[in-house]
Amino acid sequence: MKRCGDLFERIIAFENLLNAAKAAQRGKRFQENVLRFNYRFEQELFALQDELRSKSYQPGDYRTFEIYEPKRRLISAAPYRDRVVHHALCNVVMPIFDRTFIRDSYANRTGFGTHRALRRFVGFFRSSRYILQCDIRKYFPSIDHAILKTLIRRKIKCRETLWLIDTIIDHSNPQEPVTAYFPGDDLLTPFERRHGLPIGNLTSQFFANLYLNGFDHFVKETLFMQKYLRYVDDFALFDDDRERLADAKQRIDAFLATLRLTMHPVKSQLFETRHGANVVGFRVLPDRIRVRTENLRRARRRLRQQQADYTAYRLNRQELTQSLRSWIAHLAHGNTWRLRGQLFARLAFARG
């Protein structure tokens, strides 16, 4: 595999940092740390560039909080200037790795995303009798730093870029505790190996996709499973032969162990497609596609909050219109014509 060098000057180029800053503040322009950065915008970018060039750059502390949509997750928000660095790095590095990803890896990739994953899933689902649908247990908290760095070094040889990547990985804040033993471990191994990436980082999303890239190729090229797709840590295999999928599950377990990962014991199931399956917020059935109940419940809460924000002038008309159009377009990917009518019929937005 060809390794790429001479990347660092492209990462710290002022134009790249400028574009990174614009991307990092999208939808967050009025946050206090963004406003403070923008008050001395060019000076801040030049200072960041100097810190990166001299390797004196050090990430700041994370702000952590929990969300419960749909399950409890620990979210870590990096300081704004660090998010600028994350975008600058990904602008240059992500395209290098993206060329190595399989067609059916859909998360955090330009031109892919949830709706394209849904269409592909429906095509596989409705042309197969069985599905092996899996979820990796505590994926982000389980990602092993040493293994991740090894995978990155298979494609990148630029020492300055590797320094920056290692700096970002090494400054990951503590995540949800995960204790799992794998072949060759002794009693202390799970506690001695550093693992876990903060979910809120753009770099973490990229690293999470990269971490399972070899697994994707294993499923497609060693197991010869043509009907396969993955969205972050959720993946599914489809076939008309139940025994073939059962055998694949055992071999997948063994491969994931080499990455110090395990499948979720409850969420990883082999079943007939006629029973229906959940994917990216939808319930796919043999003859229709519905929105999952918990997603609809969250959407109603969000719409009520937007009503209140619009009334109190915390949300302008353009932002409101863009959000509503986005949600309507999302619903349109399912059989939701009647639902959309019911959802918006009683919705009124008025200024206070």
Side-chain angles (χ1 to χ4, degrees), residues 14-67:
F14 186 82
E15 184 177 359
N16 186 46
L17 291 173
L18 177 64
N19 292 332
K22 292 177 179 177
Q25 66 181 255
R26 197 168 292 136
K28 303 172 183 176
R29 287 186 299 121
F30 299 107
Q31 291 183 357
E32 182 181 349
N33 56 353
V34 178
L35 290 170
R36 190 163 51 246
F37 189 97
N38 286 348
Y39 183 72
R40 302 177 62 253
F41 187 66
E42 289 192 359
Q43 294 94 321
E44 291 283 0
L45 288 181
F46 279 121
L48 200 52
Q49 185 183 50
D50 289 341
E51 289 178 30
L52 290 167
R53 180 171 283 121
S54 64
K55 297 189 178 63
S56 61
Y57 166 75
Q58 289 292 308
D61 295 330
Y62 285 93
R63 178 175 60 87
T64 60
F65 54 94
E66 292 182 345
I67 62 171

Side-chain angles (χ1 to χ4, degrees), residues 156-213:
I156 293 180
K157 64 181 180 181
C158 174
R159 282 187 286 183
E160 292 85 358
T161 301
L162 291 173
W163 161 79
L164 178 57
I165 291 172
D166 289 350
T167 299
I168 293 170
I169 294 173
D170 292 342
H171 279 78
S172 299
N173 60 334
Q175 300 297 301
E176 183 181 357
V178 177
T179 304
Y181 289 89
F182 298 92
D185 286 359
D186 59 31
L187 185 63
L188 297 179
T189 300
F191 307 98
E192 293 172 339
R193 297 183 69 99
R194 289 209 63 198
H195 53 82
L197 297 178
I199 292 179
N201 283 0
L202 176 65
T203 48
S204 296
Q205 297 166 17
F206 162 57
F207 293 150
N209 220 10
L210 165 63
Y211 199 75
L212 285 174
N213 185 34

Side-chain angles (χ1 to χ4, degrees), residues 320-330:
L320 174 63
T321 301
Q322 183 178 355
S323 177
L324 292 178
R325 285 177 176 170
S326 175
W327 178 239
I328 292 170
H330 176 69

Side-chain angles (χ1 to χ4, degrees), residues 18-193:
L18 177 64
N19 292 332
K22 292 177 179 177
Q25 66 181 255
R26 197 168 292 136
K28 303 172 183 176
R29 287 186 299 121
F30 299 107
Q31 291 183 357
E32 182 181 349
N33 56 353
V34 178
L35 290 170
R36 190 163 51 246
F37 189 97
N38 286 348
Y39 183 72
R40 302 177 62 253
F41 187 66
E42 289 192 359
Q43 294 94 321
E44 291 283 0
L45 288 181
F46 279 121
L48 200 52
Q49 185 183 50
D50 289 341
E51 289 178 30
L52 290 167
R53 180 171 283 121
S54 64
K55 297 189 178 63
S56 61
Y57 166 75
Q58 289 292 308
D61 295 330
Y62 285 93
R63 178 175 60 87
T64 60
F65 54 94
E66 292 182 345
I67 62 171
Y68 295 85
E69 295 186 3
K71 60 185 178 182
R72 177 185 171 275
R73 292 180 185 271
L74 178 69
I75 304 296
S76 302
Y80 172 66
R81 73 192 310 267
D82 292 337
R83 299 201 301 270
V84 174
V85 174
H86 298 167
H87 278 269
L89 172 67
C90 289
N91 286 347
V92 174
V93 171
M94 281 179 64
I96 295 171
F97 285 94
D98 192 77
R99 293 190 289 268
T100 71
F101 292 163
I102 66 167
R103 170 189 177 188
D104 288 313
S105 171
Y106 289 94
N108 311 311
R109 299 178 66 190
T110 302
F112 287 74
T114 57
H115 297 143
R116 188 167 169 179
L118 174 64
R119 291 194 297 271
R120 188 69 161 166
F121 186 97
V122 171
F124 287 158
F125 182 89
R126 291 180 175 169
S127 63
S128 307
R129 185 176 177 185
Y130 296 99
I131 173 175
L132 172 62
Q133 190 167 26
C134 303
D135 177 280
I136 294 177
R137 179 177 175 270
K138 297 183 179 179
Y139 180 49
F140 278 85
S142 298
I143 293 175
D144 187 272
H145 290 190
I147 294 175
L148 174 61
K149 291 177 182 178
T150 298
L151 295 174
I152 291 169
R153 280 160 170 76
R154 290 179 181 175
K155 194 65 181 171
I156 293 180
K157 64 181 180 181
C158 174
R159 282 187 286 183
E160 292 85 358
T161 301
L162 291 173
W163 161 79
L164 178 57
I165 291 172
D166 289 350
T167 299
I168 293 170
I169 294 173
D170 292 342
H171 279 78
S172 299
N173 60 334
Q175 300 297 301
E176 183 181 357
V178 177
T179 304
Y181 289 89
F182 298 92
D185 286 359
D186 59 31
L187 185 63
L188 297 179
T189 300
F191 307 98
E192 293 172 339
R193 297 183 69 99

